[in-house]
């Protein structure tokens, strides 16, 4: 058993309480590679922001759980080396789907886990989440559960249709599970194609404008659970300049579209205290690499193209922290 405390990591409890009270949100960035980890830590240190580094089942399959855990340990030491005396870094399991995977992560250095039973019937979702909470809390590991289903087309957690969270269910769910935070469904979804063109309108320049998030549901949930930490998944904004760069240099991402940043900024001021971003990092990395290859066809050393990729991700992370989530200077 490796406790996250030995690795210098923290759980989410205190940072969420401060974020809810302070009207900002903690960034939860997915990582699969060393370059993503470095860019996340550099951005968090430079902006003096707490940060959640999250690992999906797909990331564990790609990079190996032991390697990712040690990258997170390295992240704490790296942050200190960069001049941050007291980094606030959470290592979080994203979309854990069984008790066993949550237990394995808790036993191996994760400070926070998500148990995603959102696809299950209400009673089964509660039973599974409670089982994880009962285990996790023995080790002071915090637990995120989910109520409501997000749509998504690209990853292992996708569902064809979304079902908004029903505000009348959240009190019973949070009380009976004992979860520390609750992911809700209010119109976000995973991946770089969050809406079909048919679901959007077009502005005067022909740019797709997505439908707004269901803020009425968010506010109804806040009324039922005052001050309770709420989580938004599927919150990439799919920057159109990155999509344009990808398409200019040989890519093919027609009509990729995300959540407008003003809406995320608005959400961050509410009880939403954790905002999950993965696709924007993928886009930033891919855009920089495609551009680099187009401009330097003779390059074949991965360091040559991963360096601008890392820089571009760092720029994106800093932008999110400072201009969207507002978690800068909150250490
Ligand atoms: O919520 C899903 C995250 O974007 C992780 O995606 O399962 O492809 O690693 P993944
Ligand atoms: P995006 O695909 O919008 O980046 O969402 C990521 C996410 O929710 C990870 O759990
Ligand atoms: Zn998610």
């Amino acid at each position: 058993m490796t406790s996250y405390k030995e690795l210098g990591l923290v759980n989410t409890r205190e940072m969420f309480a401060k974020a809810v009270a302070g009207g900002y949100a903690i960034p939860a960035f997915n990582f699969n590679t060393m370059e993503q980890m470095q860019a996340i830590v550099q951005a968090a240190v430079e902006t003096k922001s707490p940060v959640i580094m999250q690992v999906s089942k797909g990331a564990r399959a790609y990079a190996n759980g032991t390697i990712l855990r040690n990258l997170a340990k390295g992240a704490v030491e790296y942050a200190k080396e960069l001049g941050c005396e007291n980094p606030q870094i959470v290592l979080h399991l994203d979309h854990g789907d069984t008790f066993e995977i949550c237990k394995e992560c808790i036993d191996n250095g994760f400070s926070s886990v998500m148990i995603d039973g959102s696809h299950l019937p209400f009673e089964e979702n509660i039973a599974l989440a409670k089982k994880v909470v009962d285990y996790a809390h023995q080790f002071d590991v915090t637990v995120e559960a989910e109520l409501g289903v997000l749509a998504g087309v690209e990853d292992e957690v996708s569902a064809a249709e979304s079902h908004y969270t029903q505000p009348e269910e959240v009190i019973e769910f949070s009380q009976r599970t004992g979860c520390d935070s609750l992911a809700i469904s209010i119109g976000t979804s995973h991946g770089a194609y969050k809406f079909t063109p048919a679901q959007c309108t077009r502005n005067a320049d022909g740019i797709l404008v997505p439908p707004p998030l269901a803020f009425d549901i968010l506010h109804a949930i806040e009324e039922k659970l005052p001050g309770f930490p709420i989580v938004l998944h599927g919150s990439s904004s799919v920057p159109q300049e990155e999509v344009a760069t990808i398409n200019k240099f040989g890519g093919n991402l027609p009509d990729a579209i995300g959540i407008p940043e003003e809406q995320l900024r608005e959400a961050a001021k509410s009880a939403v205290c954790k905002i999950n971003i993965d696709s924007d990092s993928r886009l930033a990395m891919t855009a920089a690499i495609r551009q680099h290859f187009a401009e330097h066809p003779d390059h074949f050393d991965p360091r040559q193209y991963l360096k601008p990729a890392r820089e571009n991700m760092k720029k994106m992370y800093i932008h999110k922290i400072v201009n969207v989530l507002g978690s800068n200077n909150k250490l």
Side-chain angles (χ1 to χ4, degrees):
M1 169 116 196
T2 307
S3 164
Y4 68 87
K5 294 177 186 177
E6 291 162 35
L7 308 182
L9 299 160
V10 298
N11 69 22
T12 58
R13 196 167 291 120
E14 195 184 322
M15 69 170 71
F16 281 176
K18 284 188 187 165
V20 173
Y24 60 93
I26 310 292
F29 298 130
N30 288 68
F31 77 109
N32 291 260
T33 71
M34 179 188 74
E35 287 76 14
Q36 282 176 310
M37 179 279 272
Q38 291 170 315
I40 292 168
V41 173
Q42 290 169 11
V45 168
E46 283 183 31
T47 57
K48 300 187 173 53
S49 173
V51 72
I52 297 171
M53 298 182 53
Q54 53 187 18
V55 167
S56 69
K57 199 172 154 187
R60 281 163 50 92
Y62 171 77
N64 176 287
T66 307
I67 288 178
L68 290 170
R69 169 178 14 115
N70 281 287
L71 277 179
K73 179 182 179 205
V76 176
E77 290 170 21
Y78 182 44
K80 288 184 180 164
E81 204 179 297
L82 292 177
C84 180
E85 275 175 29
N86 187 20
Q88 301 282 295
I89 300 178
V90 172
L91 177 62
H92 175 77
L93 171 68
D94 191 26
H95 294 286
D97 56 355
T98 60
F99 171 78
E100 288 70 27
I101 194 173
C102 292
K103 179 179 183 304
E104 194 189 322
C105 288
I106 293 163
D107 291 350
N108 287 290
F110 280 63
S111 57
S112 173
V113 294
M114 175 189 193
I115 177 68
D116 182 356
S118 58
H119 53 287
L120 297 172
F122 188 65
E123 285 297 329
E124 287 175 39
N125 190 0
I126 288 183
L128 179 60
K130 182 170 169 17
K131 188 172 174 190
V132 172
V133 169
D134 287 347
Y135 186 76
H137 282 181
Q138 295 177 70
F139 306 100
D140 206 17
V141 169
T142 40
V143 179
E144 173 185 326
E146 178 161 344
L147 197 52
V149 180
L150 267 67
V153 288
E154 283 186 346
D155 45 44
E156 293 197 24
V157 294
S158 65
E161 268 181 58
S162 79
H163 301 284
Y164 287 174
T165 307
Q166 295 178 28
E168 56 277 16
E169 291 184 342
V170 297
I171 297 179
E172 183 182 351
F173 186 84
S174 62
Q175 284 177 351
R176 286 180 58 198
T177 61
C179 65
D180 301 281
S181 59
L182 183 65
I184 60 166
S185 173
I186 56 166
T188 62
S189 61
H190 293 108
Y193 296 89
K194 300 197 186 297
F195 305 97
T196 62
Q199 291 172 304
C200 302
T201 52
R202 288 197 189 262
N203 70 11
D205 302 321
I207 308 284
L208 290 174
V209 180
L213 298 180
F215 279 100
D216 52 337
I217 295 184
L218 173 59
H219 297 319
I221 291 169
E222 281 183 295
E223 266 174 37
K224 302 266 182 203
L225 293 175
F228 194 81
I230 300 297
V231 177
L232 280 192
H233 281 248
S235 295
S236 278
S237 44
V238 187
Q240 292 301 301
E241 61 280 11
E242 304 294 5
V243 174
T245 303
I246 290 171
N247 289 342
K248 178 174 171 191
F249 294 109
N252 183 23
L253 301 179
D255 293 330
I257 188 158
I259 309 296
E261 289 186 339
E262 316 79 71
Q263 294 190 36
L264 296 170
R265 202 177 302 128
E266 187 62 35
K269 290 182 191 150
S270 72
V272 170
C273 65
K274 172 176 181 269
I275 291 193
N276 286 12
I277 297 173
D278 187 2
S279 299
D280 285 355
S281 172
R282 299 176 181 190
L283 292 167
M285 185 175 215
T286 302
I289 290 176
R290 278 199 177 276
Q291 178 162 359
H292 189 90
F293 279 147
E295 291 171 355
H296 305 278
D298 55 324
H299 281 182
F300 64 95
D301 179 341
R303 293 171 297 190
Q304 290 169 314
Y305 52 87
L306 290 177
K307 200 170 166 194
R310 190 168 59 195
E311 276 306 308
N312 206 34
M313 289 189 287
K314 176 182 170 186
K315 197 174 101 198
M316 184 277 294
Y317 293 136
I318 290 179
H319 166 69
K320 297 287 175 184
I321 289 171
V322 173
N323 300 315
V324 185
L325 282 72
S327 62
N328 48 314
N329 297 317
K330 299 297 192 300
L331 275 186

